[in-house]
Amino acid sequence: MTKERMEELLNSAVDYVCCGERLDEACLRLIQIGFTKDELVNEFGFDHEVVNRAEKEEVERLYQEGILEKE
């Protein structure tokens, strides 16, 4: 698979996730599957504030589930 084809498929997957959900929920889901804040903002054009809210929500969930421990 070429790099261009891989990028095309990845963009399609991100678009698909965003179509069925609110933007905050889409960002949260993308963070949960491993995208970084930098990738979402710089590569896919998500709003920085939306991504920050989604990341904060995911971190809180991880604390509540005991996956992360507060220092």
Side-chain angles (χ1 to χ4, degrees):
M1 178 183 307
T2 66
K3 181 181 178 189
E4 291 80 18
R5 178 68 177 146
M6 184 176 61
E7 289 174 352
E8 180 183 320
L9 291 171
L10 182 58
N11 282 326
S12 295
V14 170
D15 289 344
Y16 177 78
V17 169
C18 293
C19 286
E21 301 182 33
R22 293 187 356 250
L23 195 52
D24 285 0
E25 291 172 355
C27 281
L28 177 60
R29 183 154 330 248
L30 292 168
I31 287 171
Q32 289 171 338
I33 63 173
F35 286 92
T36 66
K37 285 180 5 177
D38 183 60
E39 290 167 338
L40 293 174
V41 171
N42 295 318
E43 301 295 327
F44 297 102
F46 283 88
D47 181 75
H48 195 268
E49 290 180 25
V50 172
V51 175
N52 281 341
R53 282 194 308 266
E55 181 190 45
K56 182 179 177 183
E57 184 176 332
E58 177 62 3
V59 168
E60 284 301 314
R61 181 188 70 81
L62 295 172
Y63 283 138
Q64 290 175 354
E65 293 182 7
I67 296 169
L68 289 178
E69 295 181 11
K70 294 187 179 184
E71 297 176 359

